Amino acid sequence: MLSSSHEALHRIFQEDPGLFARAVRGLGVSFPPPVSASPLPTDLTENRPMERRVDTLLRMDTEDGEFILAVESQGKRAPDKPASWAYYLSHLYAKHGIPPVLLVVCADRATAAWAARQVDIGPPQWPSLTLRPLVLGPDSLPVIASPDEAARDIPLTVLSAALHRRDPDADAILNAPAKALKGLSAEDEDTAGTFIELTEQGLGKTPAADLWRHLMAVDLSFFQSETAQRLRAEGRDEGRVEGRTEDILRLLDGRGVETSAEERERITGCRDLDTLAAWFTRAITATSAAEVFESGEAG
């Protein structure tokens, strides 16, 4: 189980190393697709107290040669990062003797613009080292909103959805991977489950993540993987919570019990079904909102 959107934005390159070459075409950079790829240890710590660890590290073998791909998922600006990235690349080149490439993936436009800057290291009259990361962000990877296009490259579609998770048309963006994964699951349920999970985690804590869970509960109701079943259960629970909060408010309004904005927000903000059930029972006879909350908290 992935723990965060940060992890999803680099882990997807482990699932499909060829995604790198396809994703950076929009940046005007051409890399041959890998003939093979193998993961490398991500720990770049030396025999000293400071630990340095890259997010994802892959050795990419292509028909034109080989290179090491370091993928960093960056959620916000960090002044010390360029120095760390320069260290990663220098260390990898010294250790393996293979040209390294740094890819930074950012779901935030401002962070992507910051990360894409060329950084010169050294005195201004003669920089000894120049850092030039490739950066994928919402403006460099287009939206894939067509189910047919999504089915042709599901990993790229999942990455695109994660990078555009804050776009206002998230509904159309997420429908494309949902329908594409429905077709994939008939052929390879395990692979489909992996990309369902990557999509969920890549969306982070955004409204798009809630929308994705609802889509999974409906569009993939036939899908039997553990991930899909969990998402469907979460979607059903969310629907029950929303229905119960509406019932409580409707009951209080129908009985003429006045509720303040804070009290209504407390009801709609509760996600515990046991607590909501207790509040609903008390709302049947309560003469004030305070009576609803008096002893209705679940343990």
Side-chain angles (χ1 to χ4, degrees), residues 121-192:
I121 299 174
Q125 61 270 34
W126 193 267
S128 300
L129 186 66
T130 298
L131 178 70
R132 297 176 61 207
L134 287 168
V135 178
L136 285 175
D139 293 329
S140 56
L141 194 63
V143 169
I144 299 176
S146 161
D148 290 340
E149 185 181 358
R152 286 193 291 270
D153 197 334
I154 288 176
L156 187 64
T157 302
V158 171
L159 179 61
S160 173
L163 294 184
H164 290 277
R165 62 195 183 199
R166 294 186 178 89
D167 285 16
D169 53 346
D171 193 352
I173 293 172
L174 295 180
N175 270 307
K179 292 178 180 178
L181 286 165
K182 181 176 181 179
L184 176 62
S185 63
E187 304 170 5
D188 189 343
E189 188 168 302
D190 289 340
T191 300

Side-chain angles (χ1 to χ4, degrees), residues 198-272:
L198 280 167
T199 302
E200 180 194 9
Q201 294 301 323
L203 296 174
K205 296 179 179 179
T206 63
D210 295 330
L211 178 58
W212 179 251
R213 282 188 282 270
H214 284 296
L215 283 172
M216 292 302 94
V218 177
D219 286 0
L220 297 185
S221 57
F222 63 92
F223 194 30
Q224 298 304 310
S225 79
E226 181 179 343
T227 300
Q229 291 184 38
R230 176 178 55 80
L231 288 171
R232 287 201 298 274
E234 291 175 358
R236 286 194 296 269
D237 286 346
E238 186 66 21
R240 291 171 62 196
V241 165
E242 291 178 359
R244 182 59 78 183
T245 58
E246 291 175 3
D247 289 343
I248 294 171
L249 292 173
R250 189 180 299 114
L251 179 59
L252 292 173
D253 290 342
R255 297 185 59 246
V257 178
E258 294 186 1
T259 53
S260 67
E262 291 78 8
E263 290 165 338
R264 297 180 78 87
E265 184 176 347
R266 182 177 178 183
I267 293 171
T268 58
C270 179
R271 315 319 289 169
D272 184 80

